[in-house]
Amino acid sequence: MDTLRLMKVFVAVADELGFAAAARRLNMSPPAVTRAVSQLEDHLGVSLLNRSTRHVRLTDAGLGYWADVKRIIEDVETSEALAAGVSARPTGLLSVTAPVLFGQMFVVPTITRYLQTYPDVSVDAVFLDRVVNLLEEDLDVGVRIGELPDSSMRAIRVGSVKIVLCAAPAYLAKHGTPTSLTDLKDHFLISSKAINTASEWRFFDNNKLQSIKVTPRLITTSNAAAIEAARAGLGITRLISYQVARCINDGTLKTVLENFEASTLPIHILHREGRLTTAKVRCFIDMLVDDLRSDKNLN
């Protein structure tokens, strides 16, 4: 039995969520695809797919097996490429994830240079303001801000950021610059739910964690919206330093209460590659590491 061939057929069915679509992708007949998956299930003694007349879905066992098999197939292909001496050039689809603003500001320039350098690769960029599980969502590379939990992911530290308070110079000139945390109660506050809770902001006062109850006048789910409101002179907002770095640099925003800022948050590049890292992943990570470590706004 050619187990690797059966694995490739199963992965195609799982990717396409259908036997007919997988058959077209593999240039096989649908009955041959169905037989191959059934043969693999018989060999393993477990059901990998839930089948109905309209849908094909992975079982719990199938989901874990699909993720493992994809890595096995990629390792085999990489090993073959290494043996043939043609592994140096990236090819195929690379999937990358990062927080929304971070991705737009710092990852897109690297993606652009990467695509211009390697014409045989394409990129799927997934920018979301939530923690993304690379394995579950089948992504190759991710950028994570904050302390990392224990994980099987491989991590490369590339910089650090911190949470800052800032406001437009015109707002501070009109309403005054706060000098203590208690002064915040007298100011118009802008809160982004992506960074803060709506009712409590946390600071460090003499190295001790202190929570301040706040009543923001504007609460938004968008970091970009909070930045624009602050730039317009509406009030004081609290965001991650990289998000407002350009505004600080061009003078449209000014930081306040710097002595109460929390400790820095690390930035890591995560990937789930095994012993043999594919060229498309390795070359992109090398580029991204260089770009992020050289950016003064992230160090």
Side-chain angles (χ1 to χ4, degrees), residues 194-266:
I195 303 298
N196 315 282
T197 66
S199 61
E200 189 176 82
W201 289 359
R202 294 183 177 183
F203 301 91
F204 276 88
D205 189 0
N206 293 322
N207 295 321
K208 292 182 179 179
L209 182 64
Q210 185 171 346
S211 297
I212 301 296
K213 292 189 178 298
V214 295
T215 307
R217 295 284 304 283
L218 173 62
I219 301 171
T220 176
T221 57
S222 165
N223 294 325
I227 292 170
E228 289 308 306
R231 291 182 66 211
L234 190 62
I236 298 173
T237 192
R238 184 170 184 262
L239 294 164
I240 302 178
S241 56
Y242 79 83
Q243 297 169 337
V244 295
R246 292 176 183 173
C247 298
I248 300 297
N249 293 338
D250 66 20
T252 55
L253 289 177
K254 181 180 179 181
T255 57
V256 298
L257 296 176
E258 293 92 341
N259 293 336
F260 298 96
E261 292 170 354
S263 56
T264 58
L265 303 170

Side-chain angles (χ1 to χ4, degrees), residues 4 8 69-91 140 273-282:
L4 184 61
K8 290 180 178 180
V69 163
K70 290 195 76 169
R71 289 198 301 273
I72 290 169
I73 292 172
E74 196 162 70
D75 277 353
V76 169
E77 291 174 347
T78 302
S79 296
E80 291 174 345
L82 286 169
V86 296
S87 64
R89 190 160 190 84
T91 61
D140 296 308
E273 292 285 346
R275 179 180 59 86
L276 294 171
T277 305
T278 55
K280 67 178 181 180
V281 172
R282 183 177 63 251

Side-chain angles (χ1 to χ4, degrees), residues 25 115 184 187 256 261:
R25 170 172 154 181
L115 292 173
L184 291 176
H187 283 271
V256 298
E261 292 170 354

Side-chain angles (χ1 to χ4, degrees), residues 18-32:
F19 288 89
R24 289 191 295 270
R25 170 172 154 181
L26 298 170
N27 196 26
M28 296 172 60
S29 68

Side-chain angles (χ1 to χ4, degrees), residues 166-189:
C166 57
Y171 172 87
L172 297 174
K174 182 177 180 179
H175 298 279
T177 300
T179 58
S180 69
L181 295 179
T182 56
D183 289 345
L184 291 176
K185 70 180 186 304
D186 300 320
H187 283 271
F188 194 119
L189 302 182

